[in-house]
Amino acid sequence: METVPIPGRRRDRTIDRSPCIRRLVVPFALLFLVLADGLVPTAQADPVPSIYVNKTVGQTTVSRGALRTIFGMRLRTWNDGSPIRVFVLPDAHPVHIEFCKRALGIFPHQLRWAWDRLVYSGTGQAPIQVSTEEQMLRMIKTIPGAIGYLRRDPDDDDVHILEIE
Amino acid sequence: MASDRSVRRHAWLLPIALLLSAEVHAIDAPQIHGFATQSFISTSTNDFFGRTSGSRHFDFTEIGINASYRPHNDLLFSGQLLSRRAGETDGGKIRIDYALVDYTVTDAVRTRWGLRAGRMLNPLGLYNETRDVAFARPSIFLPQSIYFDRVRDLAISSDGLYLYGERRFQGNELLWQIGAGYPRVGNEEIERSVLSRLMPGRLDSSDSFLGRLLLEIEGGRYLIGISGAKALLEYTPGSGDILRHGQVSFSPVILSTQYNGEYLEMTAEYAQRSFTYEGFGPYLKDNNFVGESAYVQGIYRFRPHWDLLLRYDVLYTDQTDRHGKDFARAHPGIPAFSRFARDLTIGTGWQYSPSLLLRAEFHHVVGTAWLTGADNPDPSAMDRTWDMFALLVSYRF
């Protein structure tokens, strides 16, 4: 038995291996690296994005189910009857990916398919896409009924957090 | 028919007039989206969407543009124009794919329901409504056993009225739609498919019903659905017609399930299609048969923006005569293998950017049940086993 460091990212870890397995390690490690490249969450260390709404929004909490429906563009009215306006970052944006996975509990491609089904069947509309978190904050600040997500607390009186129940 | 068409044309102008006249805030401005898709298709023997076994490989093109406008939070106007070239079956004529008004009566956290009127894409199975949009389908060709492209117009949309609703409980959601209306006919391939060949008379749609119930568990991680329709087609004989005034009733029922993981997506759908022919006279005897379709599909998203697809898709035109032997005996000259198709598909897709998609796929098919008579006019010249390779590039905005 010998111990060898695995090539790649985690150089400090070692494994035991027998000669039979040895021949397979390199191809499998290569295959793994090819497949895993990009699957490794890029923003794992960052905080879960919090949900922010425009100050006109009366409610301070939302259920996860309702949140999914809001971002799925199928619930368009706040509890007080005013229109919900949804803002998102691009599908491949790390903050969007984190938001989908950890706040909504779904994956960005599912959300995209849901929007495509609405847009291309004429039964709904897509959310408004912004390209940066700065733009996201500006929209949430200025648009009545706006909802979006941010990694950092903007410390701004024009927006407030919406807690998941 | 002509006045009917002109009414539809005017109906289409209504949302446009609203778009132009309304003073809208930029956020509530109309949304405009579109797509353009070109495919390359090459087949070993039989033809699919053009002379694909010969020298015509680029006869499948899909272009669409849609607009939607919400003048009030409860009200949505939307419409889509579509041009589709598909071999001999579709010439690329621009048509109204859908044009509808949607009124939401109740929109709350637990419940939503409303009404839709106009021309709508039929909510059948998981993919029917988005079948023409390359970005929203899992492969270049949807499983043809259920999403036949040969009777596409009949399956895709109808003019009528719908009720829809959503009920949410504990993170799960029940979505339902029911509607009544007239499916679109008027495409020769539908006549060929329903009556076996082109006849001098006319096939029109009559009162038809449609519905879908979809349960989304854990925000869509698991999907279970059932959808069904009862479509009625009326045949009016032409001059010197051997057929009498007859009626075809077509009732598909589709069961759908899907698992949506982060990297893995599994989908299976099963359909039974019942056909009843009545009143056509001695040359097309009253009869009733049930067709069966099923597919199992796995998608592995092995890298961001990349996917790998594996699918097995089966179609039997008549479940009591799966291998078409009885049919071939009764119809000399038409091969038994025209009554079934088993398609093994492997494909890959690469979404280069949010607006550019590339796909490649390979089909190994036994049987010809979903090939069109327009593309393959001589049934005796068809081959039982054939392969197809296809590439696709799609742009959307």
Side-chain angles (χ1 to χ4, degrees):
Chain A
M1 284 294 204
E2 61 181 69
T3 59
V4 188
I6 297 180
R9 296 177 184 188
R10 297 176 182 173
R11 289 168 193 283
D12 53 323
R13 284 189 57 193
T14 57
I15 56 160
D16 294 343
R17 57 183 208 191
S18 66
C20 165
I21 294 173
R22 188 181 303 163
R23 257 170 280 149
L24 294 172
V25 165
V26 172
F28 269 95
L30 282 173
L31 185 68
F32 177 79
L33 285 177
V34 168
L35 296 180
D37 181 45
L39 294 187
V40 178
T42 45
Q44 196 64 27
D46 289 329
V48 182
S50 301
I51 300 128
Y52 288 90
V53 291
N54 183 267
K55 63 171 180 234
T56 54
V57 175
Q59 58 197 87
T60 53
T61 62
V62 67
S63 70
R64 193 182 299 273
L67 194 64
R68 277 189 203 129
T69 322
I70 289 172
F71 279 89
M73 299 301 284
R74 285 187 287 109
L75 173 59
R76 298 185 320 275
T77 314
W78 292 112
N79 289 349
D80 66 3
S82 62
I84 299 177
R85 292 189 173 102
V86 181
F87 293 88
V88 292
L89 289 163
D91 289 10
H93 196 291
V95 177
H96 179 73
I97 297 171
E98 278 302 282
F99 170 74
C100 287
K101 285 194 205 171
R102 294 167 74 182
L104 300 183
I106 60 174
F107 307 109
H109 67 262
Q110 283 177 272
L111 211 47
R112 176 56 65 181
W113 191 49
W115 300 336
D116 282 349
R117 279 196 291 177
L118 295 176
V119 166
Y120 293 106
S121 66
T123 56
Q125 291 187 307
I128 298 157
Q129 190 176 299
V130 293
S131 32
T132 63
E133 285 177 274
E134 291 69 42
Q135 276 181 21
M136 173 75 92
L137 174 60
R138 202 157 57 238
M139 288 304 199
I140 305 171
K141 270 168 69 96
T142 51
I143 307 294
I147 181 169
Y149 45 84
L150 297 164
R151 255 179 313 186
R152 276 172 286 277
D153 183 353
D155 192 23
D156 192 312
D157 290 342
D158 292 334
V159 305
H160 67 83
I161 241 174
L162 200 59
E163 298 285 355
I164 300 176
E165 284 163 9
Chain B
M1 203 65 196
S3 67
D4 193 10
R5 279 209 192 105
S6 86
V7 168
R8 282 177 195 165
R9 227 169 260 151
H10 287 114
W12 167 245
L13 286 175
L14 179 68
I16 292 180
L18 273 160
L19 298 184
L20 296 176
S21 65
E23 184 86 342
V24 285
H25 189 281
I27 291 301
D28 298 321
Q31 284 192 4
I32 296 182
H33 294 275
F35 57 90
T37 307
Q38 176 62 51
S39 302
F40 165 91
I41 308 168
S42 177
T43 48
S44 60
T45 53
N46 307 322
D47 290 318
F48 187 56
F49 293 166
R51 293 274 162 269
T52 49
S53 64
S55 57
R56 293 189 68 87
H57 303 293
F58 294 95
D59 283 2
F60 185 34
T61 313
E62 300 158 292
I63 299 169
I65 183 161
N66 66 60
S68 63
Y69 174 51
R70 208 181 269 295
H72 184 264
N73 203 35
D74 298 337
L75 204 58
L76 176 75
F77 290 93
S78 66
Q80 177 159 286
L81 293 175
L82 180 78
S83 159
R84 187 169 176 278
R85 277 173 66 244
E88 300 295 318
T89 56
D90 218 329
K93 187 180 62 165
I94 295 172
R95 56 188 165 234
I96 298 171
D97 200 32
Y98 62 77
L100 63 95
V101 51
D102 176 329
Y103 175 64
T104 312
V105 180
T106 300
D107 187 29
V109 171
R110 302 288 294 277
T111 321
R112 173 189 176 206
W113 74 275
L115 294 159
R116 288 183 191 125
R119 172 172 297 177
M120 270 150 298
L121 300 174
N122 295 333
L124 287 173
L126 295 174
Y127 296 115
N128 193 55
E129 298 136 284
T130 52
R131 66 192 293 163
D132 297 318
V133 188
F135 278 86
R137 59 185 187 224
S139 47
I140 299 176
F141 306 110
L142 282 174
Q144 294 291 306
S145 72
I146 291 181
Y147 305 96
F148 294 145
D149 278 307
R150 63 181 296 192
V151 288
R152 178 187 169 284
D153 281 3
L154 178 63
I156 197 167
S157 65
S158 41
D159 299 330
L161 190 70
Y162 273 86
L163 267 174
Y164 69 89
E166 288 158 26
R167 179 100 194 126
R168 296 154 197 147
F169 50 94
Q170 296 157 356
N172 307 322
E173 212 170 337
L174 193 66
L175 297 96
W176 56 268
Q177 289 184 56
I178 47 165
Y182 302 94
R184 273 158 70 195
V185 277
N187 167 318
E188 288 187 351
E189 196 52 40
I190 291 169
E191 201 170 313
R192 222 190 290 258
S193 164
V194 171
L195 301 176
S196 297
R197 57 189 157 132
L198 286 181
M199 298 303 294
R202 228 181 55 194
L203 204 58
D204 289 308
S205 60
S206 184
D207 311 355
S208 301
F209 304 91
L210 202 126
R212 180 171 68 191
L213 195 63
L214 204 59
L215 178 64
E216 291 195 3
I217 301 162
E218 292 177 28
R221 179 168 288 256
Y222 305 95
L223 280 178
I224 302 169
I226 179 166
S227 44
K230 188 171 174 65
L232 273 185
L233 304 177
E234 301 248 9
Y235 183 75
T236 315
S239 64
D241 207 328
I242 55 164
L243 294 184
R244 295 190 195 144
H245 189 280
Q247 207 179 52
V248 184
S249 141
F250 170 54
S251 334
V253 176
I254 305 174
L255 301 175
S256 314
T257 62
Q258 189 171 65
Y259 163 76
N260 263 299
E262 184 165 13
Y263 308 124
L264 190 68
E265 181 184 308
M266 294 292 298
T267 309
E269 293 195 284
Y270 170 81
Q272 271 203 353
R273 298 171 315 278
S274 150
F275 284 89
T276 306
Y277 290 77
E278 270 175 347
F280 288 95
Y283 293 94
L284 182 56
K285 294 196 181 92
D286 288 5
N287 75 3
N288 177 334
F289 63 89
V290 179
E292 245 180 339
S293 316
Y295 73 89
V296 182
Q297 168 184 287
I299 294 172
Y300 179 46
R301 295 187 170 82
F302 59 96
R303 284 175 68 112
H305 317 302
W306 281 88
D307 62 62
L308 201 62
L309 170 129
L310 187 66
R311 181 171 64 215
Y312 187 62
D313 178 39
V314 188
L315 164 65
Y316 297 114
T317 306
D318 182 349
Q319 66 173 5
T320 61
D321 179 28
R322 286 189 168 175
H323 298 97
K325 291 192 174 123
D326 298 345
F327 182 86
R329 259 194 299 277
H331 301 80
I334 304 179
F337 60 72
S338 68
R339 303 289 282 177
F340 63 86
R342 296 190 291 268
D343 176 1
L344 181 68
T345 306
I346 180 160
T348 185
W350 178 35
Q351 198 167 331
Y352 171 78
S353 76
S355 55
L356 192 66
L357 172 74
L358 301 163
R359 281 197 182 284
E361 72 193 37
F362 179 78
H363 297 247
H364 177 69
V365 194
V366 179
T368 62
W370 44 259
L371 290 176
T372 65
D375 280 325
N376 302 274
D378 181 4
S380 62
M382 287 166 91
D383 283 306
R384 185 174 190 269
T385 303
W386 55 290
D387 296 325
M388 173 159 70
F389 174 71
L391 296 169
L392 168 149
V393 54
S394 183
Y395 173 78
R396 75 159 166 201
F397 62 89

